[in-house]
Amino acid sequence: MSSIVYTLGQLAELLGATLRGDASRPIHGLATLQDAGPQHLTFLANAQYRKFLEDTCAGAVLLTPGDAAGYSGAALVIENPYLAYARASHLFETRPAVVAGIHPSAIIAADAQVDPSACIGAYAVIEAGAWIGPDVVIGAQCFIGARCRIDEGGRLAPRVTLYHDVRIGKRVVIQSGAVIGGEGFGFANEKGVWQKIAQIGGVTIGDDVEIGSNTTIDRGALSDTLIGNGVKLDNQIMIAHNVQIGDNTAMAGCAGISGSTKIGRNCMIAGGVGMVGHIEVCDNVFVTGMTMVTRSITEPGSYSSGTAMQTAAEWRKSAARIRHLDDMARRLQQLEKRLAAVTPDGDTASDA
Amino acid sequence: MSSIVYTLGQLAELLGATLRGDASRPIHGLATLQDAGPQHLTFLANAQYRKFLEDTCAGAVLLTPGDAAGYSGAALVIENPYLAYARASHLFETRPAVVAGIHPSAIIAADAQVDPSACIGAYAVIEAGAWIGPDVVIGAQCFIGARCRIDEGGRLAPRVTLYHDVRIGKRVVIQSGAVIGGEGFGFANEKGVWQKIAQIGGVTIGDDVEIGSNTTIDRGALSDTLIGNGVKLDNQIMIAHNVQIGDNTAMAGCAGISGSTKIGRNCMIAGGVGMVGHIEVCDNVFVTGMTMVTRSITEPGSYSSGTAMQTAAEWRKSAARIRHLDDMARRLQQLEKRLAAVTPDGDTASDA
Amino acid sequence: MSSIVYTLGQLAELLGATLRGDASRPIHGLATLQDAGPQHLTFLANAQYRKFLEDTCAGAVLLTPGDAAGYSGAALVIENPYLAYARASHLFETRPAVVAGIHPSAIIAADAQVDPSACIGAYAVIEAGAWIGPDVVIGAQCFIGARCRIDEGGRLAPRVTLYHDVRIGKRVVIQSGAVIGGEGFGFANEKGVWQKIAQIGGVTIGDDVEIGSNTTIDRGALSDTLIGNGVKLDNQIMIAHNVQIGDNTAMAGCAGISGSTKIGRNCMIAGGVGMVGHIEVCDNVFVTGMTMVTRSITEPGSYSSGTAMQTAAEWRKSAARIRHLDDMARRLQQLEKRLAAVTPDGDTASDA
């Protein structure tokens, strides 16, 4: 059990919720409806889990006024329980606290600037001309290339690489293993041999961005690769050179975006999606999992590709038929013509 | 040539095989049927390669009694040659030996505990409250977060990150670049802006687990992400927060499992498979390569999605037809109705 | 603005182009047709961008003789502008220069050999018996395993891992986070339990290879995994054990190649492609994005799988129909038979 403890009354105040129950009850953590014990605060945010509400052992539940009406236990009543849970989660954060200062083993170029309130971890390397802003945390074993800028409140987990000329806004979180500013895949083919194109752009990342573990964002070939404010990138995402991502777009794990593609604002790109290069996706687009985006999207909405899962035996049949689908379509057309010759009134038959 | 050498007689004894041939013949390594020379032991485990048996130059072959009957050369006869090869492989391991002790450059928190039989590599960083068990090997440049536990016989390659509160069982192998315990993709949307949810769970990993290069396993949002005993994860796999994977399930490279999904025991998940979140996959399920699993699987068996490869020219036709498949299906239904009107006895015609 | 500057006359000479314009004009960098100012050189290499030529503010444009005829501004006229741009890019490289020498914090085994012209970064670790050739750059925090060889002119970005016995040719570039020589996914199943197979092969990489950020190349199980000369691998690619890739083949991000598959020369493998193991792909094959390659390819040409993107609403209909495609095909066949019985001359109707 964590050593953090709040009373229900304190939590109600911190979260702006209406308390129903014993204000002095101590709460030591958060848990799901099913796992919670009397020492936990829980929440109901998804109708799918309402069935677990009645039997929860939680010390209190974050509930909408509507759900609270149907529940007799202790509750923190609030308009948006999920958002309240998001806020409460930070009260119980388990991440070790950091203290300002530079670990003696960090190697920092003479002309790099590190704000005194920043924390630089063990074996970090910071190159010439870099600027590390106030309250920035650079994890152990990070590499910060020449002339990088990390604005205030940034937090890099251990073992993050920034190549040279990566400019990062405020409050940006980068998980371990991420590589920002790597040299993109730029080659010119000369009689079958690939000639490398130097990647002389950088990367510009806005405020409040989150970048997941082992995600890679390549530097621009000429101008910068651009990540907008509030963008959230999950793990193992691949962002190629000169991609532009608009504000508040979220992208789930293993997505891959090819060079120079431009994605709008407030988009949601699901896991495993792939986009070809040099296309544009407008604002407010949702792309479902593992979709292959091969052309620009100019209308907001949801987009998909792929086929639904079947048993392998059924799938083998479907897959074989797909290969002959063009033939099937032609035969269908032929049948329609032949049947029309037999039954000239056929057009009236329709139940579709 | 490796400096390791065994006689055929020693190998027969070590592997529990019946020797047919010269017990004193020196064997310096393992090789495939095609590549093996007189100094090598080889094996036949796949009928597809039986054609190479006759002409192999190997010093000896691991064979079933049945295959041995049809081969005149030196053999180590055993019920399961592939398993015997697996065992023999460790006799010829080329990985440099490690010696117990802490490299002087490792930075270890004052209250972390390291068993005297453990080996801690250069520039490793071990944080407060961590426990490193007997015979554990921590490679160079690893980061071991606060309160992590690595039980006996674990082996971390260089450059592995464990965030805080990662608990690892016995004999777990983790390849380079893996990130365990990163912060999962948890955000609550507040009027278009993503608010971060602190990820306050940890990761619990069983015994005899293997985790591949650059694979990422996120920490739980509330409770732990759980990896069962004997689970084998290949490279570049993405395991999201609160996923649970049952004992002895194996997963090939580039698979991605979304949050809170629960996979059973003894499953085989092929390369590039993607699973949506919050579903359950029962025991003994085989999912073929690049399948998109969009719903729970409740019956053991094999599952697939996707389409078979074609030439790009044929594929363009199929892909175009698929977009009009719903229309085709309606027209087919219409034709059936119209034809039934013309030939009322049509139902008797069937050869499908 | 970069401090690098060339006159147009110098650039014409360096690139072997014919100058049309003021030879003394200073050029400080490269930019696209749209972004370029008077201080920039730009290029036209793709007909799609010809529309931007007329209004470019560039100081000069790399143009073919044909395009130059239709443009009145300053130009560097050359047969292949894209290749000329590739060459020019290196003149404006922003990557910090390196100087020969071993950083005092690098830990190098007593019997490892480092050429005096090589540059070894901070906190790099180089193990026993390794050989680092002339002009090689090893970035900060790299790990170079025992007996590795890196031939002249190699450049490893920070935080690259080479396991033991990785042999790398000349002028090879490896981006940050790449892991070469990790233990492949080799297990023998013994009554439901996976027994590890030691991976005792190494990795051999040819000359002029490029390996992207967080890409993984596993060591061979028995013999080496082989990467040919001039191969270009983008980010987050997964190359399993004993794969062989032929000379000058290029592979885009997130591709995954399963064990023992052999890919020919001069192939282009697009992003997100997956290949099963133990197949062969011949020379000069182009595989389009996210294709699942499930069988050998024996003819040069383009290959694809998957379905085209639709709106999610349309996609749901198509996906549902695909699951019943086998049924549709049978019904179509039945209709043809029944109609043939009604109209015996039906075979003459064809407009397909």
Side-chain angles (χ1 to χ4, degrees), chain C residues 37-342:
Chain C
Q39 75 280 24
H40 290 129
L41 175 67
T42 187
F43 61 99
L44 172 59
N46 182 332
Q48 184 184 344
Y49 295 108
R50 187 169 288 120
K51 60 188 174 194
F52 299 120
L53 177 58
E54 192 176 357
D55 293 332
T56 188
C57 301
V61 189
L62 285 159
L63 290 171
T64 59
D67 282 322
Y71 177 68
S72 58
L76 294 181
V77 183
I78 196 162
E79 216 48 55
N80 187 334
Y82 195 61
L83 199 56
Y85 151 58
R87 296 221 165 99
S89 69
H90 296 279
L91 302 175
F92 297 97
E93 176 61 88
T94 56
R95 202 172 55 231
V98 293
V99 288
I102 298 173
H103 192 280
S105 67
I107 295 177
I108 300 179
D111 66 348
Q113 288 177 272
V114 177
D115 190 276
S117 64
C119 168
I120 312 296
Y123 296 132
V125 174
I126 300 182
E127 300 258 290
W131 178 79
I132 310 297
D135 299 316
V136 168
V137 178
I138 304 288
Q141 304 157 331
C142 282
F143 179 88
I144 311 297
R147 301 177 301 270
C148 283
R149 286 181 58 85
I150 305 178
D151 212 335
E152 66 177 88
R155 175 164 61 88
L156 274 61
R159 219 165 54 70
V160 166
T161 299
L162 307 188
Y163 281 60
H164 53 287
D165 297 313
V166 173
R167 288 161 281 270
I168 293 181
K170 297 175 180 171
R171 300 171 299 276
V172 169
V173 175
I174 308 182
Q175 305 291 338
S176 189
V179 177
I180 319 293
E183 295 172 6
F185 202 61
F187 301 95
N189 197 299
E190 182 182 23
K191 299 173 185 168
V193 174
W194 297 102
Q195 302 295 348
K196 185 174 175 75
I197 298 170
Q199 304 290 301
I200 61 182
V203 180
T204 297
I205 293 174
D207 296 335
D208 300 302
V209 169
E210 179 128 357
I211 297 169
S213 300
N214 283 351
T215 280
T216 59
I217 302 176
D218 283 341
R219 63 193 312 103
L222 293 169
S223 52
D224 283 10
T225 301
L226 299 174
I227 309 295
N229 295 321
V231 168
K232 309 297 181 187
L233 301 178
D234 198 358
N235 298 348
Q236 303 208 29
I237 286 172
M238 148 74 182
I239 306 291
H241 50 192
N242 295 107
V243 164
Q244 298 182 29
I245 302 181
D247 294 353
N248 297 316
T249 281
M251 201 176 291
C254 307
I257 312 299
S258 302
S260 300
T261 278
K262 191 174 168 184
I263 300 175
R265 299 172 181 224
N266 303 305
C267 292
M268 293 179 65
I269 311 299
V273 166
M275 295 196 188
V276 299
H278 298 272
I279 61 171
E280 292 198 21
V281 172
C282 66
D283 297 348
N284 297 302
V285 165
F286 174 47
V287 183
T288 64
M290 297 177 79
T291 293
M292 172 169 60
V293 183
T294 51
R295 54 184 169 81
S296 290
I297 297 177
T298 57
E299 293 292 325
S302 296
Y303 296 84
S304 303
S305 75
T307 70
M309 186 181 69
Q310 301 178 271
T311 65
E314 292 168 339
W315 175 81
R316 273 190 293 272
K317 289 185 203 168
S318 298
R321 295 297 188 187
I322 286 171
R323 296 181 60 180
H324 299 106
L325 199 50
D326 190 55
D327 173 60
M328 275 178 64
R330 289 172 189 279
R331 285 159 54 199
L332 180 61
Q333 200 173 12
Q334 202 175 42
L335 276 180
E336 285 171 331
K337 291 209 173 187
R338 287 170 58 191
L339 192 58
V342 181

Side-chain angles (χ1 to χ4, degrees), chain B residues 94-174:
Chain B
T94 56
R95 203 170 55 229
V98 293
V99 288
I102 298 173
H103 192 280
S105 67
I107 295 177
I108 300 179
D111 68 348
Q113 288 178 273
V114 177
D115 190 277
S117 63
C119 168
I120 312 297
Y123 296 132
V125 175
I126 300 181
E127 300 258 291
W131 178 79
I132 310 296
D135 299 317
V136 168
V137 178
I138 304 288
Q141 303 156 331
C142 282
F143 179 86
I144 310 298
R147 302 178 300 270
C148 284
R149 288 180 57 86
I150 306 177
D151 213 333
E152 65 177 89
R155 174 163 61 86
L156 275 60
R159 222 165 50 71
V160 165
T161 299
L162 307 187
Y163 281 60
H164 53 288
D165 297 312
V166 174
R167 288 160 281 268
I168 294 181
K170 295 175 181 172
R171 299 171 300 276
V172 169
V173 175
I174 308 182

Side-chain angles (χ1 to χ4, degrees), chain B residues 234-303:
Chain B
D234 198 357
N235 298 348
Q236 304 209 28
I237 286 172
M238 149 75 183
I239 305 291
H241 50 192
N242 295 108
V243 165
Q244 299 181 28
I245 303 181
D247 294 352
N248 297 316
T249 282
M251 201 176 290
C254 307
I257 312 299
S258 303
S260 300
T261 279
K262 191 174 168 184
I263 301 175
R265 299 174 181 222
N266 303 305
C267 292
M268 292 178 65
I269 312 299
V273 165
M275 294 195 189
V276 300
H278 297 273
I279 60 170
E280 292 198 21
V281 172
C282 67
D283 297 348
N284 297 301
V285 164
F286 174 47
V287 183
T288 65
M290 298 177 78
T291 293
M292 172 169 61
V293 182
T294 50
R295 55 184 170 81
S296 290
I297 297 178
T298 57
E299 294 291 326
S302 296
Y303 296 84

